[in-house]
Amino acid sequence: MSDVLVTGADGMLGRAVVRALSSRCAVIGVDIPAFDIVDAAATLAAVRRASPHIIVNCAAYTDVDGAESNRDLAFQVNANGAGNVALAAHDIGALIVHMSTDYVFDGESSSPYAESDTPNPLNVYGESKLAGETAVAESGAEYLILRTAWLYGHGSPNFVETMLRLAGERDGLRVVDDQEGMPTSAADLATIIADLQSTGVRGLVNATNSGSCTWFSFARAILDLSGLSDVRVEPVRTEEFTRPAKRPRRSVLSLARLTESLGWEPRSWREALADYLMERQGG
Ligand SMILES: NC(=O)c1ccc[n+]([C@@H]2O[C@H](COP(=O)([O-])OP(=O)(O)OC[C@H]3O[C@@H](n4cnc5c(N)ncnc54)[C@H](OP(=O)(O)O)[C@@H]3O)[C@@H](O)[C@H]2O)c1
């Protein structure tokens, strides 16, 4: 019997979670096409076969702009699929740790969002993730839903890798300076997940690195910490950078519940970023 089943294990967070948990317990990582969370019967059968104590659901449709024109698929994976995994967890009496997002909020609040604040997603991706939260909460399974944000790591396209690639291709970059959020290392989040599941805290918990910044400040930090201070970055307004999906202006999450539950505060986004970049450069 395995201890933990990780869905979406080939994705950015899934890889980090498999890595972080492997030193602590037996882990099985699964991903599409062999394990498709949209297929309820196959999901239930596979979960029964694996019989884990915990399922960490990292499987998701994560293309925020793509979701605007692929609403059905986004909801199938992020809402129905999440529900299927949670129902399977309930069936075998396992805990489900499910991943959600700061994009369930509209970003209009001037103070950090607590778990109890009312969501109001601005885009299809956020709507589908909110529906997934509801499906998990109503499944009857013991659950922990973690809202995270602005993830970067190995294995999937992300802002850090995009900035480094563009810095090599262009003379200067233009980056939005009026959207604020919380950059989060997938590796740090995986450690949080590994520690949190054993604390007994359940329900909804915000989980990111500490501190916030704009995409522009994030880009500047990525380049400066990579020895690319000479690459120019121009701050631009959201209106100058048209994209299919609307984004929250200020999706800053309160980490009070997380910090109290863990007994330690996640380190700052800048410290985590510096580590990631050093590791990436083989340092
Ligand atoms: N990335 C972020 O900035 C961010 C921010 C906030 C919250 N989150 C949440 O964090 C979680 C992990 O995100 P991530 O960045 O690691 O995403 P990711 O890299 O896109 O990984 C998701 C994985 O799920 C797989 N998948 C897609 N549809 C599936 C299905 N029907 N059945 C099983 N697996 C399926 C994907 O496979 P394919 O690649 O083949 O589609 C991929 O391997 C998600 O719940 C996401 O919503 C992410």
Side-chain angles (χ1 to χ4, degrees), residues 11-13 31 35-37 59-60 62 100 125 129 148 151 156:
M12 190 162 58
L13 181 61
D31 208 316
F35 191 113
D36 181 352
I37 65 169
T62 55
S100 191
Y125 168 75
K129 293 296 292 183
T148 192
L151 277 185
S156 289

Side-chain angles (χ1 to χ4, degrees), residues 21-43:
L21 287 173
S22 293
S23 59
R24 305 190 188 198
C25 59
V27 182
I28 296 180
V30 290
D31 208 316
I32 201 169
F35 191 113
D36 181 352
I37 65 169
V38 173
D39 185 335
T43 297

Side-chain angles (χ1 to χ4, degrees), residues 2-282:
S2 72
D3 284 330
V4 181
L5 180 72
V6 180
T7 61
D10 295 336
M12 190 162 58
L13 181 61
R15 286 173 189 223
V17 169
V18 169
R19 195 171 165 191
L21 287 173
S22 293
S23 59
R24 305 190 188 198
C25 59
V27 182
I28 296 180
V30 290
D31 208 316
I32 201 169
F35 191 113
D36 181 352
I37 65 169
V38 173
D39 185 335
T43 297
L44 180 59
V47 164
R48 282 181 176 163
R49 262 196 315 278
S51 192
H53 292 122
I54 302 170
I55 303 174
V56 183
N57 184 30
C58 298
Y61 178 94
T62 55
D63 181 349
V64 175
D65 288 317
E68 296 298 307
S69 48
N70 287 297
R71 187 182 180 90
D72 283 355
L73 180 58
F75 269 82
Q76 269 182 37
V77 180
N78 293 343
N80 302 349
N84 292 339
V85 177
L87 288 170
H90 182 236
D91 180 80
I92 62 161
L95 164 71
I96 176 168
V97 180
H98 174 69
M99 303 312 305
S100 191
T101 171
D102 58 329
Y103 279 14
V104 297
F105 292 115
D106 60 19
E108 293 302 319
S109 174
S110 54
S111 47
Y113 288 101
E115 289 80 356
S116 54
D117 285 338
T118 306
N120 181 32
L122 296 178
N123 55 44
V124 172
Y125 168 75
E127 285 176 35
S128 70
K129 293 296 292 183
L130 182 59
E133 290 186 1
T134 305
V136 170
E138 292 179 349
S139 67
E142 182 185 6
Y143 70 91
L144 185 54
I145 296 173
L146 303 181
R147 284 184 180 146
T148 192
W150 292 24
L151 277 185
Y152 61 88
H154 304 284
S156 289
N158 62 75
F159 187 76
V160 175
E161 296 302 328
T162 302
M163 288 302 107
L164 292 173
R165 177 173 52 79
L166 292 179
E169 294 172 3
R170 299 182 185 172
D171 288 340
L173 310 179
R174 301 172 79 235
V175 181
V176 169
D177 196 29
D178 56 2
Q179 289 171 27
E180 185 179 352
M182 305 175 84
T184 299
S185 147
D188 279 26
L189 179 56
T191 302
I192 289 171
I193 292 169
D195 281 4
L196 205 56
Q197 51 81 21
S198 62
T199 62
V201 66
R202 298 294 179 255
L204 197 51
V205 181
N206 297 333
T208 66
N209 279 119
S210 296
S212 64
C213 63
T214 67
W215 289 114
F216 167 78
S217 311
F218 189 19
R220 195 62 273 166
I222 292 162
L223 298 174
D224 291 348
L225 288 166
S226 302
L228 297 168
S229 298
D230 54 326
V231 176
R232 278 183 301 106
V233 186
E234 182 192 342
V236 297
R237 296 175 59 77
T238 299
E239 290 71 31
E240 295 173 67
F241 204 83
T242 316
R243 296 175 86 178
K246 259 183 105 174
R247 263 89 173 160
R249 289 280 168 155
R250 188 170 187 275
S251 54
V252 177
L253 304 176
S254 163
L255 298 183
R257 181 154 201 246
L258 177 69
T259 301
E260 192 188 321
S261 306
L262 287 171
W264 50 270
E265 187 182 15
R267 63 183 170 162
S268 74
W269 65 266
R270 195 178 280 273
E271 211 179 318
L273 176 65
D275 263 9
Y276 172 76
L277 292 170
M278 202 163 16
E279 182 210 325
R280 191 180 170 282
Q281 286 163 7

